[in-house]
């Protein structure tokens, strides 16, 4: 069961967030704020306490808190984002992790290793990690060394088609939009929603249209642990 979630309010500069889909248009900031507020409510409905961090104008993509950290039941890991404009996001997330984890259970991915949390899919004690434009082999090696201490296995997954591993795949038991038995599904994907419902999961729907414009989805918007 997850007890906690961490989110960060989108900053105005999100309209300049990194995107591979400029054809979707520029995010509407007010709409993004409303969608983010609804997302927080959906998380709360799933029974977790939500730590809401203030917006940080220095980092356009900083609302995607999933990328600068990895949170597990054993430890937390401050990542080293591969995107130059996102590297500094780790400084703000590290002290927040200290509220939840003892210092000796907080680890760091360091240069030349790069890794973004969006590439890390936790399935029980096995962590599938996308080797992507953002996460390199050395980052995955460091993660394997950290998680290996706790008996966890790290499996690299070469990626070419999508930004992050979890852009393409979600694991419904212990990961992503699975929240304590409920599955939060993005609005506008009726086939996915029907498939998840047919598996017997209660579903909550959240509109993420403004975050999609900067390549972000539901899971990127929170850390869940
Ligand atoms: C980026 O390119 O870094 C952001 N615009 C989107 C990050 C999405 N995060 C994720 O999939 N975990």
């Amino acid at each position: 069961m997850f007890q906690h979630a961490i989110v960060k309010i989108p900053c105005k500069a999100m309209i300049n967030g990194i995107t591979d889909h400029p054809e979707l248009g520029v995010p509407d900031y007010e709409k993004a704020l409303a969608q983010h507020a609804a997302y927080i409510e959906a998380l709360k409905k799933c029974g977790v306490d939500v730590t809401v961090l203030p917006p940080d104008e220095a980092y356009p993509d900083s609302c995607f808190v999933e990328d600068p950290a990895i949170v597990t039941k054993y430890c937390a890991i401050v990542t080293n984002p591969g995107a130059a404009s996102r590297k500094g996001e780790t400084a703000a997330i590290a002290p927040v992790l200290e509220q939840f984890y003892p210092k000796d259970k907080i680890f760091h991915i360091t240069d030349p290793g790069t890794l973004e949390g969006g590439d890390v899919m936790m399935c029980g004690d096995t962590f599938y990690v996308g080797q992507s434009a953002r996460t390199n082999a050395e980052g995955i090696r460091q993660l394997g060394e950290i998680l290996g201490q706790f008996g966890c296995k790290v499996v690299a997954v070469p990626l070419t088609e999508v930004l992050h591993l979890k852009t393409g795949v979600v694991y419904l038991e212990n990961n992503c939009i699975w929240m304590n038995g409920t599955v939060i599904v993005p609005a506008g994907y009726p086939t996915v929603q029907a498939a998840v419902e047919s598996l017997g999961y209660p579903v909550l729907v959240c509109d993420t249209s403004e975050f999609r414009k900067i390549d972000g989805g539901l899971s990127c918007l929170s850390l869940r642990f």
Side-chain angles (χ1 to χ4, degrees), residues 9-15 29 33 55-63:
I9 304 283
C11 59
K12 293 195 184 83
M14 77 171 286
I15 59 168
Y29 180 59
L33 283 181
D56 184 347
E57 292 298 337
Y59 298 101
D61 287 298
S62 53
C63 59

Side-chain angles (χ1 to χ4, degrees), residues 28 47 72 75 128 141 155 159 192 199 214-215:
D28 175 323
T72 78
C75 64
Y128 293 93
R141 190 198 64 74
V155 180
L159 285 190
V192 172
L199 293 171
I214 49 171
D215 301 345

Side-chain angles (χ1 to χ4, degrees), residues 16-92:
N16 301 317
I18 305 170
T19 182
D20 281 336
H21 296 98
E23 73 282 2
L24 296 178
V26 175
D28 175 323
Y29 180 59
E30 294 304 321
K31 210 166 153 187
L33 283 181
Q35 291 179 349
H36 196 262
Y39 178 74
I40 293 172
E41 287 314 305
L43 291 174
K44 286 183 179 164
K45 274 191 198 150
C46 298
V48 291
D49 67 78
V50 184
T51 300
V52 182
L53 306 176
D56 184 347
E57 292 298 337
Y59 298 101
D61 287 298
S62 53
C63 59
F64 300 118
V65 279
E66 184 185 57
D67 295 318
I70 299 162
V71 286
T72 78
K73 62 182 170 193
Y74 305 107
C75 64
I77 297 143
V78 180
T79 69
N80 185 19
S85 66
R86 303 202 58 189
K87 284 202 187 291
E89 290 177 31
T90 54

Side-chain angles (χ1 to χ4, degrees), residues 160-180:
T160 49
E161 304 280 316
V162 285
L163 169 61
H164 287 124
L165 177 61
K166 284 186 290 188
T167 314
V169 188
V170 296
Y171 179 63
L172 287 184
E173 289 302 327
N174 282 304
N175 196 278
C176 286
I177 50 175
W178 180 94
M179 282 301 292
N180 298 341

